[in-house]
Amino acid sequence: MDLREHFLRLASSHGADAQIAERWWRELEARYSAPDRHYHTLEHIAEMLGLLPHAPETVLAAVWFHDAVYGGRANEERSAELARAALSELRFPAYAIEVVEQLILATKRHDPSEVAPQFRAFLDADLAILGSERPRYHRYVQQVREEYSQFPEPFFRGARNAILDGILERPRIYATDEFFARFEERARENIQWEIAMSSRA
């Protein structure tokens, strides 16, 4: 997938100036390619887009902006603010911008009740990495650790396992039937494997 072409096509869908669309592409490219990014990169964006081939423009925009700000506090809120600024410049209608903001903020807890049913595949796609094949999952675990390399292993592992335990306690990880059938079983196996591996470290 040509990510630049994908973004520019989306960014220009409401008649925005080509230079403005290009500027926002460069902004996002720089953010997702920052040296402290390891998992939350353009690869993650491409993987999500590949899972949502028929998604509406609001979902596509949410994919592009949901991790635009990462590595500090209030990442979701600041990413939503950036999305509003960008999409306003790109002439997206107000209702679409509000949906995008809501979707980005929902990635804070990945609670499907926070979004309308037709948008829940977006949250599922963001968690699809959990149900990936084991080599990809292993690489994902390493990438996440690199993004939090400033934290000592005991602290990181405690926080990480708390998140993983919370995911396992859910009745289901994926809200949509399509993602549930495709990823649920393997996601639970991967998470249990990661927790078991951390206990041996």
Side-chain angles (χ1 to χ4, degrees):
M1 176 185 294
D2 187 323
L3 291 179
R4 177 177 176 273
E5 180 182 338
H6 183 284
F7 178 79
L8 292 179
R9 185 167 61 250
L10 174 68
S12 303
S13 58
H14 293 282
D17 183 86
Q19 290 184 334
I20 295 176
E22 180 68 34
R23 174 164 52 80
W24 278 109
W25 157 253
R26 291 197 302 269
E27 174 74 18
L28 289 176
E29 182 185 33
R31 286 175 176 271
Y32 285 112
S33 302
D36 58 344
R37 300 283 190 119
H38 299 277
Y39 172 67
H40 296 89
T41 64
L42 288 172
E43 181 184 19
H44 174 51
I45 300 303
E47 288 175 338
M48 285 189 69
L49 293 175
L51 291 166
L52 300 165
H54 307 298
E57 68 174 14
T58 48
V59 170
L60 298 178
V63 170
W64 273 106
F65 284 94
H66 78 289
D67 285 327
V69 179
Y70 196 80
R73 294 187 176 184
N75 294 323
E76 295 83 4
E77 288 82 359
R78 290 188 293 155
S79 292
E81 290 173 4
L82 187 73
R84 171 170 285 278
L87 298 178
S88 296
E89 270 199 80
L90 295 170
R91 301 182 181 178
F92 274 60
Y95 75 86
I97 296 174
E98 290 174 7
V99 170
V100 173
E101 285 186 296
Q102 180 188 28
L103 292 177
I104 293 172
L105 292 174
T107 63
K108 192 165 191 173
R109 297 194 303 168
H110 286 93
D111 183 345
S113 68
E114 294 180 0
V115 301
Q118 67 267 32
F119 299 125
R120 289 173 184 168
F122 164 73
L123 295 179
D124 282 355
D126 196 30
L127 295 179
I129 188 66
L130 300 176
S132 58
E133 297 289 345
R134 184 61 55 80
R136 177 66 183 102
Y137 185 80
H138 188 204
R139 184 160 64 90
Y140 152 73
V141 172
Q142 294 174 320
Q143 290 170 331
V144 171
R145 183 65 185 102
E146 288 173 349
E147 287 187 336
Y148 290 93
S149 60
Q150 71 271 33
F151 296 108
E153 183 64 21
F155 177 87
F156 170 80
R157 185 43 57 189
R160 174 75 178 168
N161 283 352
I163 293 171
L164 296 176
D165 286 337
I167 294 174
L168 286 178
E169 289 172 1
R170 298 182 183 186
R172 54 191 286 172
I173 298 171
Y174 300 99
T176 62
D177 290 340
E178 176 187 355
F179 279 83
F180 180 86
R182 184 173 175 183
F183 295 113
E184 184 82 16
E185 182 177 358
R186 194 160 57 222
R188 291 186 179 276
E189 291 173 353
N190 282 336
I191 292 171
Q192 290 165 352
W193 170 82
E194 182 183 350
I195 292 172
M197 290 296 292
S198 72
S199 67
R200 299 173 193 164

Coordinates of all heavy atoms in Angstrom, one line a residue, residues 95-166:
Y95 N -19.5 17.2 11.6 CA -19.9 16.0 12.2 C -18.9 14.9 12.0 O -18.7 14.0 12.9 CB -21.3 15.5 11.6 CG -21.1 15.0 10.1 CD1 -20.9 13.6 9.9 CD2 -21.3 15.8 9.0 CE1 -20.7 13.2 8.6 CE2 -21.2 15.3 7.7 CZ -20.9 14.0 7.6 OH -20.7 13.5 6.3
A96 N -18.2 14.9 10.9 CA -17.1 13.9 10.7 C -16.0 14.1 11.6 O -15.4 13.1 12.2 CB -16.6 14.0 9.2
I97 N -15.6 15.3 11.9 CA -14.5 15.6 12.8 C -14.9 15.1 14.2 O -14.1 14.5 14.9 CB -14.2 17.1 12.8 CG1 -13.6 17.5 11.4 CG2 -13.2 17.4 13.9 CD1 -13.4 19.0 11.3
E98 N -16.1 15.3 14.6 CA -16.6 14.8 15.9 C -16.5 13.3 16.1 O -16.1 12.8 17.1 CB -18.0 15.3 16.2 CG -18.1 16.8 16.4 CD -19.5 17.3 16.5 OE1 -20.4 16.5 16.5 OE2 -19.7 18.5 16.6
V99 N -16.9 12.6 15.0 CA -16.8 11.2 15.0 C -15.3 10.7 15.1 O -15.0 9.8 15.9 CB -17.4 10.5 13.8 CG1 -17.1 9.0 13.7 CG2 -18.9 10.7 13.8
V100 N -14.4 11.3 14.4 CA -13.0 11.0 14.5 C -12.5 11.2 15.9 O -11.8 10.4 16.4 CB -12.2 11.8 13.4 CG1 -10.7 11.6 13.6 CG2 -12.6 11.4 12.0
E101 N -12.8 12.3 16.5 CA -12.4 12.6 17.8 C -12.9 11.5 18.8 O -12.1 11.0 19.6 CB -12.8 14.0 18.3 CG -12.1 15.1 17.7 CD -12.5 16.5 18.3 OE1 -13.7 16.8 18.1 OE2 -11.7 17.1 18.9
Q102 N -14.1 11.2 18.7 CA -14.7 10.2 19.5 C -14.0 8.8 19.4 O -13.7 8.1 20.4 CB -16.2 10.0 19.2 CG -16.9 8.9 20.1 CD -18.3 8.6 19.7 OE1 -18.6 8.8 18.5 NE2 -19.1 8.3 20.6
L103 N -13.7 8.5 18.1 CA -13.0 7.2 17.9 C -11.6 7.2 18.5 O -11.2 6.2 19.1 CB -12.9 6.9 16.4 CG -14.3 6.6 15.7 CD1 -14.0 6.4 14.2 CD2 -14.9 5.4 16.3
I104 N -10.9 8.3 18.3 CA -9.5 8.4 18.9 C -9.6 8.3 20.4 O -8.8 7.6 21.0 CB -8.8 9.6 18.4 CG1 -8.6 9.6 16.9 CG2 -7.5 9.9 19.1 CD1 -8.1 10.9 16.3
L105 N -10.5 9.0 21.0 CA -10.6 9.0 22.5 C -11.0 7.6 23.0 O -10.6 7.2 24.1 CB -11.6 10.0 23.0 CG -11.2 11.5 22.7 CD1 -12.3 12.4 23.1 CD2 -9.9 11.8 23.5
A106 N -11.7 6.9 22.2 CA -12.1 5.5 22.6 C -11.0 4.5 22.7 O -11.1 3.5 23.3 CB -13.2 5.0 21.7
T107 N -9.8 4.9 22.0 CA -8.7 4.0 22.1 C -8.0 4.0 23.4 O -7.1 3.2 23.7 CB -7.6 4.3 21.0 OG1 -7.1 5.6 21.2 CG2 -8.3 4.2 19.6
K108 N -8.4 4.9 24.3 CA -7.9 5.0 25.6 C -8.2 3.7 26.4 O -7.4 3.2 27.2 CB -8.3 6.2 26.3 CG -7.6 6.6 27.6 CD -7.9 8.0 28.1 CE -6.9 8.4 29.2 NZ -7.1 9.8 29.5
R109 N -9.5 3.2 26.2 CA -9.9 2.1 27.0 C -10.3 0.9 26.1 O -10.5 -0.2 26.6 CB -11.1 2.4 27.9 CG -10.7 3.5 29.0 CD -11.8 3.6 30.0 NE -13.1 3.9 29.5 CZ -14.3 3.8 30.2 NH1 -14.2 3.4 31.4 NH2 -15.4 4.2 29.6
H110 N -10.5 1.2 24.8 CA -11.0 0.2 23.9 C -12.3 -0.5 24.4 O -12.4 -1.7 24.3 CB -9.9 -0.9 23.6 CG -8.8 -0.4 22.8 ND1 -7.6 0.2 23.3 CD2 -8.6 -0.4 21.4 CE1 -6.8 0.5 22.3 NE2 -7.4 0.2 21.1
D111 N -13.1 0.4 24.9 CA -14.5 -0.1 25.3 C -15.4 0.1 24.2 O -15.7 1.2 23.8 CB -14.9 0.7 26.5 CG -16.2 0.2 27.1 OD1 -17.0 -0.5 26.4 OD2 -16.6 0.6 28.2
P112 N -15.9 -1.0 23.5 CA -16.8 -0.8 22.4 C -18.1 -0.1 22.7 O -18.7 0.5 21.7 CB -17.1 -2.3 21.9 CG -16.8 -3.1 23.2 CD -15.7 -2.4 23.9
S113 N -18.5 0.0 23.9 CA -19.7 0.7 24.2 C -19.6 2.2 24.1 O -20.6 2.9 24.0 CB -20.2 0.4 25.7 OG -19.3 1.0 26.6
E114 N -18.3 2.7 23.9 CA -18.1 4.1 23.7 C -18.3 4.6 22.3 O -18.2 5.8 22.1 CB -16.7 4.5 24.2 CG -16.5 4.2 25.7 CD -15.1 4.6 26.2 OE1 -14.3 5.0 25.3 OE2 -14.8 4.4 27.4
V115 N -18.5 3.6 21.4 CA -18.6 4.0 20.0 C -19.9 3.3 19.4 O -20.3 2.3 19.9 CB -17.4 3.7 19.1 CG1 -16.2 4.5 19.6 CG2 -17.1 2.2 19.1
A116 N -20.4 3.9 18.4 CA -21.5 3.2 17.7 C -21.1 1.9 17.1 O -20.0 1.7 16.7 CB -22.1 4.2 16.6
P117 N -22.1 1.0 17.0 CA -21.7 -0.4 16.5 C -21.0 -0.4 15.1 O -20.1 -1.2 14.9 CB -23.1 -1.1 16.3 CG -23.9 -0.4 17.4 CD -23.5 1.0 17.4
Q118 N -21.3 0.6 14.2 CA -20.7 0.6 12.9 C -19.2 1.0 12.9 O -18.5 0.9 11.9 CB -21.5 1.4 11.9 CG -21.5 2.9 12.2 CD -22.6 3.4 13.1 OE1 -23.2 2.6 13.9 NE2 -23.1 4.6 12.9
F119 N -18.8 1.5 14.1 CA -17.4 1.9 14.2 C -16.5 1.0 15.1 O -15.4 1.3 15.3 CB -17.3 3.3 14.8 CG -18.0 4.4 14.0 CD1 -19.0 5.2 14.5 CD2 -17.7 4.5 12.6 CE1 -19.7 6.1 13.7 CE2 -18.3 5.5 11.8 CZ -19.3 6.3 12.4
R120 N -17.1 -0.1 15.5 CA -16.4 -0.9 16.5 C -15.2 -1.7 15.8 O -14.3 -2.1 16.5 CB -17.3 -1.9 17.2 CG -18.2 -1.1 18.2 CD -19.3 -1.9 18.9 NE -20.1 -1.0 19.7 CZ -21.2 -1.4 20.2 NH1 -21.7 -2.6 20.0 NH2 -21.9 -0.5 21.0
A121 N -15.3 -1.9 14.5 CA -14.2 -2.6 13.8 C -12.9 -1.8 13.9 O -11.8 -2.4 13.9 CB -14.6 -2.8 12.3
F122 N -13.1 -0.5 14.1 CA -11.9 0.4 14.2 C -11.1 0.0 15.5 O -9.9 -0.2 15.5 CB -12.3 1.8 14.3 CG -11.2 2.8 14.8 CD1 -10.1 3.1 14.1 CD2 -11.3 3.3 16.1 CE1 -9.1 3.9 14.6 CE2 -10.4 4.1 16.6 CZ -9.2 4.4 15.9
L123 N -11.8 -0.2 16.6 CA -11.2 -0.6 17.9 C -10.6 -2.0 17.7 O -9.5 -2.3 18.3 CB -12.2 -0.5 19.0 CG -12.7 0.9 19.4 CD1 -13.7 0.8 20.5 CD2 -11.5 1.9 19.7
D124 N -11.4 -2.9 17.1 CA -10.9 -4.2 16.9 C -9.6 -4.3 16.1 O -8.7 -5.0 16.4 CB -12.0 -5.1 16.2 CG -13.1 -5.5 17.2 OD1 -13.0 -5.2 18.4 OD2 -14.0 -6.1 16.7
A125 N -9.6 -3.4 15.0 CA -8.4 -3.4 14.2 C -7.1 -2.9 15.0 O -6.0 -3.4 14.7 CB -8.6 -2.5 13.0
D126 N -7.4 -2.0 15.9 CA -6.2 -1.5 16.7 C -5.7 -2.6 17.6 O -4.5 -2.6 18.0 CB -6.7 -0.3 17.5 CG -5.6 0.5 18.1 OD1 -4.5 0.6 17.4 OD2 -5.7 1.2 19.1
L127 N -6.5 -3.6 18.0 CA -6.1 -4.6 18.8 C -5.8 -5.9 18.1 O -5.4 -6.9 18.7 CB -7.2 -5.0 19.9 CG -7.5 -3.9 20.9 CD1 -8.6 -4.3 21.8 CD2 -6.3 -3.5 21.7
A128 N -5.9 -5.9 16.8 CA -5.7 -7.1 16.0 C -4.3 -7.7 16.1 O -4.1 -8.9 16.0 CB -5.9 -6.8 14.5
I129 N -3.3 -6.8 16.5 CA -1.9 -7.3 16.7 C -1.9 -8.4 17.7 O -1.0 -9.3 17.7 CB -1.0 -6.1 17.0 CG1 0.5 -6.5 17.0 CG2 -1.4 -5.5 18.4 CD1 1.0 -6.9 15.7
L130 N -2.8 -8.3 18.7 CA -2.8 -9.3 19.8 C -3.1 -10.7 19.2 O -2.6 -11.7 19.8 CB -3.8 -9.0 20.8 CG -3.6 -7.6 21.5 CD1 -4.8 -7.4 22.5 CD2 -2.3 -7.6 22.3
G131 N -3.8 -10.8 18.1 CA -4.1 -12.1 17.5 C -3.3 -12.4 16.3 O -3.7 -13.2 15.5
S132 N -2.1 -11.8 16.2 CA -1.3 -12.0 15.0 C -0.6 -13.4 15.2 O -0.5 -14.0 16.3 CB -0.3 -10.9 14.8 OG 0.5 -10.7 16.0
E133 N 0.1 -13.8 14.1 CA 0.9 -15.0 14.2 C 2.0 -14.8 15.2 O 2.5 -13.7 15.4 CB 1.5 -15.3 12.8 CG 0.4 -15.7 11.8 CD -0.3 -17.0 12.0 OE1 0.3 -17.8 12.8 OE2 -1.3 -17.3 11.4
R134 N 2.5 -15.9 15.9 CA 3.4 -15.7 17.0 C 4.7 -14.9 16.6 O 5.1 -14.1 17.4 CB 3.7 -17.1 17.5 CG 4.6 -17.1 18.8 CD 4.0 -16.4 20.0 NE 2.7 -16.9 20.3 CZ 2.5 -18.0 21.1 NH1 3.5 -18.7 21.5 NH2 1.2 -18.3 21.4
P135 N 5.3 -15.2 15.5 CA 6.5 -14.4 15.2 C 6.2 -12.9 15.2 O 7.0 -12.1 15.7 CB 7.0 -14.9 13.8 CG 6.4 -16.3 13.8 CD 5.1 -16.2 14.5
R136 N 5.1 -12.5 14.6 CA 4.7 -11.1 14.5 C 4.4 -10.6 15.9 O 4.8 -9.5 16.3 CB 3.5 -10.8 13.6 CG 3.1 -9.3 13.6 CD 4.1 -8.4 13.0 NE 3.7 -7.0 13.0 CZ 4.2 -6.1 13.9 NH1 5.0 -6.5 14.8 NH2 3.8 -4.9 13.9
Y137 N 3.7 -11.4 16.7 CA 3.4 -11.0 18.1 C 4.7 -10.8 18.9 O 4.8 -9.8 19.7 CB 2.5 -12.0 18.7 CG 2.0 -11.6 20.1 CD1 1.0 -10.7 20.2 CD2 2.6 -12.1 21.3 CE1 0.5 -10.3 21.5 CE2 2.2 -11.7 22.5 CZ 1.2 -10.8 22.6 OH 0.8 -10.3 23.9
H138 N 5.6 -11.7 18.7 CA 6.8 -11.6 19.5 C 7.6 -10.3 19.1 O 8.1 -9.6 20.0 CB 7.7 -12.8 19.1 CG 9.0 -12.9 20.0 ND1 10.1 -13.6 19.6 CD2 9.3 -12.4 21.2 CE1 11.0 -13.5 20.5 NE2 10.5 -12.8 21.5
R139 N 7.6 -10.0 17.8 CA 8.2 -8.7 17.4 C 7.5 -7.5 18.0 O 8.1 -6.6 18.4 CB 8.3 -8.7 15.9 CG 9.0 -7.4 15.4 CD 9.4 -7.6 13.9 NE 8.3 -7.8 13.0 CZ 7.7 -6.7 12.4 NH1 8.2 -5.5 12.6 NH2 6.7 -6.9 11.6
Y140 N 6.2 -7.6 18.1 CA 5.3 -6.5 18.7 C 5.7 -6.3 20.1 O 5.9 -5.2 20.6 CB 3.9 -6.9 18.5 CG 3.0 -6.3 19.5 CD1 2.6 -5.0 19.6 CD2 2.4 -7.1 20.5 CE1 1.8 -4.4 20.5 CE2 1.5 -6.6 21.5 CZ 1.2 -5.3 21.5 OH 0.4 -4.8 22.4
V141 N 5.9 -7.4 20.9 CA 6.2 -7.4 22.3 C 7.6 -6.7 22.4 O 7.8 -5.8 23.3 CB 6.3 -8.8 22.9 CG1 6.9 -8.7 24.3 CG2 4.9 -9.4 22.9
Q142 N 8.5 -7.0 21.6 CA 9.8 -6.4 21.6 C 9.7 -4.9 21.3 O 10.4 -4.1 21.9 CB 10.8 -7.1 20.7 CG 11.1 -8.5 21.1 CD 11.9 -9.2 20.0 OE1 11.7 -9.1 18.8 NE2 12.9 -10.0 20.4
Q143 N 8.9 -4.6 20.3 CA 8.8 -3.2 19.9 C 8.2 -2.3 21.0 O 8.6 -1.2 21.2 CB 7.9 -3.1 18.6 CG 8.6 -3.6 17.4 CD 7.6 -3.8 16.2 OE1 6.4 -4.0 16.4 NE2 8.2 -3.7 15.0
V144 N 7.2 -2.9 21.7 CA 6.5 -2.1 22.8 C 7.6 -1.9 23.9 O 7.6 -0.8 24.5 CB 5.3 -2.9 23.3 CG1 4.8 -2.2 24.6 CG2 4.2 -2.9 22.2
R145 N 8.3 -2.9 24.2 CA 9.4 -2.8 25.2 C 10.4 -1.7 24.9 O 10.8 -0.9 25.7 CB 10.1 -4.1 25.5 CG 11.1 -4.0 26.6 CD 10.4 -3.8 27.9 NE 11.3 -3.6 29.0 CZ 11.6 -2.4 29.6 NH1 11.1 -1.3 29.1 NH2 12.4 -2.3 30.7
E146 N 10.7 -1.6 23.6 CA 11.7 -0.6 23.2 C 11.1 0.8 23.3 O 11.8 1.8 23.6 CB 12.1 -0.8 21.7 CG 13.0 -2.0 21.5 CD 13.2 -2.4 20.1 OE1 12.5 -1.8 19.2 OE2 14.1 -3.2 19.8
E147 N 9.8 0.9 23.1 CA 9.1 2.3 23.3 C 9.1 2.7 24.7 O 8.9 3.9 25.0 CB 7.7 2.2 22.7 CG 7.7 2.2 21.2 CD 6.3 2.3 20.6 OE1 5.3 2.0 21.2 OE2 6.3 2.8 19.4
Y148 N 9.2 1.8 25.6 CA 9.2 2.1 27.1 C 10.6 1.7 27.7 O 10.6 1.3 28.9 CB 8.1 1.4 27.8 CG 6.7 1.9 27.4 CD1 6.0 1.4 26.3 CD2 6.2 3.0 28.1 CE1 4.8 1.9 26.0 CE2 5.0 3.5 27.7 CZ 4.3 3.0 26.7 OH 3.0 3.5 26.3
S149 N 11.6 1.8 26.9 CA 13.0 1.4 27.4 C 13.5 2.3 28.6 O 14.4 1.9 29.3 CB 14.0 1.5 26.3 OG 14.1 2.8 25.7
Q150 N 12.8 3.4 28.8 CA 13.3 4.3 29.9 C 12.8 3.7 31.3 O 13.3 4.2 32.3 CB 12.7 5.7 29.7 CG 11.2 5.9 29.9 CD 10.5 5.7 28.7 OE1 10.8 4.9 27.8 NE2 9.4 6.4 28.5
F151 N 11.9 2.7 31.3 CA 11.5 2.2 32.5 C 12.2 0.9 32.8 O 12.4 0.1 31.9 CB 10.0 1.9 32.4 CG 9.1 3.1 32.3 CD1 8.5 3.4 31.1 CD2 9.0 4.0 33.3 CE1 7.8 4.6 30.9 CE2 8.2 5.2 33.2 CZ 7.6 5.5 32.0
P152 N 12.5 0.6 34.1 CA 13.2 -0.6 34.4 C 12.3 -1.8 34.2 O 11.0 -1.7 34.3 CB 13.5 -0.4 35.9 CG 12.6 0.6 36.4 CD 12.4 1.5 35.2
E153 N 12.9 -2.9 34.0 CA 12.1 -4.1 33.6 C 11.0 -4.5 34.6 O 9.8 -4.8 34.2 CB 13.0 -5.3 33.4 CG 12.3 -6.6 33.0 CD 11.6 -6.5 31.6 OE1 12.0 -5.6 30.8 OE2 10.7 -7.3 31.3
P154 N 11.3 -4.5 36.0 CA 10.2 -4.9 36.9 C 9.0 -3.9 36.8 O 7.8 -4.4 36.9 CB 10.9 -4.8 38.3 CG 12.3 -5.0 38.0 CD 12.6 -4.3 36.6
F155 N 9.2 -2.6 36.7 CA 8.1 -1.7 36.6 C 7.4 -1.9 35.3 O 6.1 -1.9 35.3 CB 8.7 -0.2 36.7 CG 7.6 0.8 36.5 CD1 6.9 1.2 37.6 CD2 7.3 1.3 35.3 CE1 5.9 2.2 37.5 CE2 6.3 2.3 35.1 CZ 5.6 2.7 36.2
F156 N 8.1 -2.0 34.2 CA 7.4 -2.2 32.9 C 6.6 -3.4 32.9 O 5.4 -3.5 32.5 CB 8.4 -2.2 31.8 CG 7.8 -2.6 30.5 CD1 7.2 -1.7 29.7 CD2 8.0 -4.0 30.0 CE1 6.6 -2.1 28.5 CE2 7.4 -4.4 28.8 CZ 6.7 -3.4 28.1
R157 N 7.2 -4.5 33.4 CA 6.5 -5.8 33.3 C 5.3 -5.8 34.2 O 4.2 -6.4 33.9 CB 7.5 -6.9 33.7 CG 6.9 -8.3 33.6 CD 6.1 -8.6 32.3 NE 6.9 -8.3 31.1 CZ 6.3 -8.3 29.9 NH1 5.0 -8.4 29.8 NH2 7.1 -8.0 28.9
G158 N 5.3 -5.2 35.4 CA 4.2 -5.1 36.2 C 3.0 -4.4 35.6 O 1.9 -4.8 35.6
A159 N 3.4 -3.2 35.0 CA 2.3 -2.4 34.3 C 1.8 -3.2 33.1 O 0.6 -3.2 32.8 CB 2.9 -1.1 33.9
R160 N 2.7 -3.8 32.3 CA 2.3 -4.5 31.1 C 1.4 -5.7 31.5 O 0.3 -5.9 30.8 CB 3.5 -5.0 30.4 CG 3.3 -5.9 29.2 CD 2.8 -5.1 28.0 NE 2.6 -6.0 26.8 CZ 2.0 -5.7 25.7 NH1 1.5 -4.5 25.6 NH2 1.9 -6.5 24.7
N161 N 1.7 -6.5 32.5 CA 0.9 -7.6 32.8 C -0.4 -7.2 33.4 O -1.4 -7.9 33.2 CB 1.7 -8.5 33.8 CG 2.8 -9.3 33.2 OD1 2.9 -9.4 32.0 ND2 3.6 -10.0 34.0
A162 N -0.5 -6.1 34.0 CA -1.8 -5.6 34.5 C -2.7 -5.3 33.4 O -3.9 -5.6 33.4 CB -1.6 -4.4 35.4
I163 N -2.2 -4.7 32.3 CA -3.0 -4.4 31.1 C -3.4 -5.7 30.5 O -4.6 -5.9 30.1 CB -2.2 -3.6 30.1 CG1 -1.9 -2.2 30.7 CG2 -2.9 -3.5 28.8 CD1 -1.0 -1.4 29.9
L164 N -2.5 -6.7 30.3 CA -2.8 -8.0 29.7 C -3.8 -8.7 30.5 O -4.7 -9.3 29.9 CB -1.5 -8.8 29.5 CG -0.5 -8.2 28.6 CD1 0.8 -9.0 28.6 CD2 -1.0 -8.0 27.1
D165 N -3.7 -8.7 31.8 CA -4.7 -9.4 32.6 C -6.1 -8.8 32.4 O -7.1 -9.6 32.4 CB -4.3 -9.3 34.1 CG -3.1 -10.3 34.4 OD1 -2.9 -11.2 33.7 OD2 -2.4 -10.0 35.5
G166 N -6.1 -7.5 32.3 CA -7.4 -6.8 32.1 C -8.0 -7.2 30.8 O -9.3 -7.4 30.7

